[in-house]
Amino acid sequence: MPGKVLIAYTSRRGTTEEIARAIGAELEAAGNTVTVADMKGIASIEGYGAVIIGSPVYLGQVEKAVHAFVARNRDGLLPVPVAAFAVGITPVNSPAAAVEEVLGNLRTALEPVKPVGITMFAGRLELSRLSFLERTMIGAMKILTGDFRDWDAIRAWARELQAVSRL
Ligand SMILES: Cc1cc2nc3c(=O)[nH]c(=O)nc-3n(C[C@H](O)[C@H](O)[C@H](O)COP(=O)(O)O)c2cc1C
């Protein structure tokens, strides 16, 4: 059933924000009214029938902004369906167990909220967008760089959420 959906993201370099906007566009196409906003600036979640939370992963962790957003809006989040996605390079470079570990961290950040859907999307890691220090770190780790976002998978997850969670 279509409804009013909030997509609350945090993003250092726009990668997660663009994914949040693509999910929003898909849910709007399905008839929902969608607000996509940086979670740091969201004063209230009142009136939304569902909330989707998105965060990039840095050094294995989702952003502190997620913990803060959930703590701030705990009472409003508990009664509505909440879904969450992480964005990072782990799905590209690492075994499935590493993705599971990130999802475990995301679940912990959401507590006591129990998500109706949770996933990790491959993100974007481009050396030219990084600071000197980050470039040195990433270079030393010898991991693949590039834009690995799979827009079909992102849109499919949005449709799946709509179907399974009464979004
Ligand atoms: C210093 C640094 C550390 C990172 N650590 C991780 C990590 O531990 N796991 C992961 O999956 N991705 C990691 N990434 C990749 C980012 O999550 C990825 O670039 C993401 O798309 C960034 O999203 P954003 O532009 O929304 O901030 C790291 C990137 C940088 C620059």
Side-chain angles (χ1 to χ4, degrees):
M1 198 205 296
K4 220 176 143 206
V5 181
L6 173 65
I7 305 182
Y9 68 84
T10 180
S11 185
R12 295 195 196 181
R13 290 186 186 82
T15 314
T16 307
E17 176 178 359
E18 287 169 13
I19 292 173
R21 294 197 183 285
I23 292 168
E26 194 67 22
L27 290 173
E28 279 205 330
N32 300 280
T33 306
V34 181
T35 302
V36 183
D38 186 326
M39 64 179 75
K40 295 186 213 79
I42 297 171
S44 162
I45 61 162
E46 218 181 300
Y48 291 103
V51 179
I52 301 173
I53 293 171
S55 170
V57 178
Y58 285 91
L59 306 179
Q61 296 297 327
V62 299
E63 297 280 50
K64 288 199 174 67
V66 176
H67 296 260
F69 178 76
V70 173
R72 235 178 18 250
N73 296 291
R74 186 178 186 270
D75 294 344
L77 288 170
L78 282 170
V80 299
V82 175
F85 64 93
V87 178
I89 213 70
T90 300
V92 180
N93 291 293
S94 310
V99 172
E100 285 307 315
E101 199 176 321
V102 170
L103 293 180
N105 292 339
L106 178 55
R107 281 184 200 280
T108 302
L110 296 173
E111 269 170 22
V113 173
K114 301 273 177 254
V116 296
I118 191 165
T119 196
M120 181 170 198
F121 295 121
R124 174 180 61 184
L125 185 60
E126 284 167 350
L127 293 181
S128 62
R129 290 174 182 267
L130 303 181
S131 68
F132 175 73
L133 194 66
E134 288 173 328
R135 229 176 6 248
T136 310
M137 280 175 64
I138 299 296
M141 287 157 75
K142 293 198 176 16
I143 56 182
L144 287 175
T145 56
D147 187 345
F148 300 101
R149 287 172 295 178
D150 178 343
W151 297 107
D152 286 342
I154 290 163
R155 285 188 288 263
W157 187 70
R159 286 195 298 276
E160 203 178 295
L161 272 188
Q162 165 96 31
V164 301
S165 67
R166 293 174 291 108
L167 274 184

